[in-house]
Amino acid sequence: MTVGKWTDRISTSLSLSCIQVGDSATYYLAIKMVSALPLNIRQGSALVLRFGDNEVAQLSTGIEYSDNIGDYNTYSNVSYYTIYPSYQLSDYILEKITRFGIRKFRIETVLKNIDREMDNDKLRDLAIFLREEYRLIQNQIDNKANDIMEGF
């Protein structure tokens, strides 16, 4: 779900992702960032979250994310840069996100901090969206019927 405005020429979109190894599932908050300028987030850079209940949490990246090459759109004559930083979520943070949503977040980048704050409508919409993504992921994890080798 896209959040924030293009006024600072950086678009942000939030989603949940999951990596499952065996019976263990690890959840991540993934952020798609598109900018008119090169983007770089160093390993260990912070993401600060304020939930809908005003509690604050801080996460950090496990690796570095950068785009210094970008893409060029010949139709609009615009260059843009895209990165997809993700932040591992504890069970507690995952529960806070899916229950209360994210009211505000701050992403630490090399050039500057990127702040996004949601009004009450966007907060509600984001909470519903992330809760639904979590439900869809859980349904896929619980659905053991999708065996790639079955019928091959």
Side-chain angles (χ1 to χ4, degrees):
M1 172 176 230
T2 301
V3 295
K5 298 181 175 76
W6 184 246
T7 53
D8 60 3
R9 298 182 59 109
I10 298 173
S11 173
T12 55
S13 301
L14 302 178
S15 65
L16 287 180
S17 62
C18 178
I19 297 175
Q20 182 181 15
V21 177
D23 290 334
S24 176
T26 304
Y27 287 87
Y28 295 86
L29 181 63
I31 304 175
K32 178 182 178 184
M33 298 175 67
V34 180
S35 172
L37 298 171
L39 290 166
N40 187 294
I41 295 179
R42 291 191 178 111
Q43 180 179 0
S45 292
L47 170 67
V48 181
L49 302 172
R50 180 178 301 278
F51 305 111
D53 65 352
N54 284 321
E55 185 177 337
V56 175
Q58 182 172 322
L59 308 172
S60 62
T61 60
I63 62 172
E64 179 174 335
Y65 300 89
S66 66
D67 182 358
N68 296 309
I69 297 170
D71 291 306
Y72 181 73
N73 183 313
T74 56
Y75 180 74
S76 61
N77 293 325
V78 174
S79 293
Y80 58 94
Y81 304 83
T82 307
I83 59 174
Y84 298 87
S86 62
Y87 302 83
Q88 187 173 340
L89 301 174
S90 67
D91 290 340
Y92 178 76
I93 300 293
L94 181 60
E95 193 270 330
K96 295 293 274 190
I97 287 172
T98 57
R99 183 169 178 202
F100 297 107
I102 300 169
R103 179 173 299 283
K104 182 177 183 178
F105 63 92
R106 175 175 289 162
I107 306 167
E108 179 184 15
T109 73
V110 170
L111 295 178
K112 65 178 183 174
N113 293 332
I114 309 300
D115 286 340
R116 294 291 181 265
E117 188 164 5
M118 276 54 76
D119 61 23
N120 287 334
D121 289 337
K122 194 69 158 182
L123 169 67
R124 185 188 67 249
D125 292 346
L126 182 58
I128 291 168
F129 174 79
L130 294 173
R131 189 168 31 253
E132 180 64 13
E133 278 201 323
Y134 178 70
R135 188 190 66 75
L136 290 170
I137 292 169
Q138 283 298 297
N139 286 345
Q140 287 301 309
I141 289 174
D142 294 342
N143 182 3
K144 305 291 184 190
N146 187 20
D147 181 2
I148 194 167
M149 298 305 288
E150 185 178 324
F152 185 75

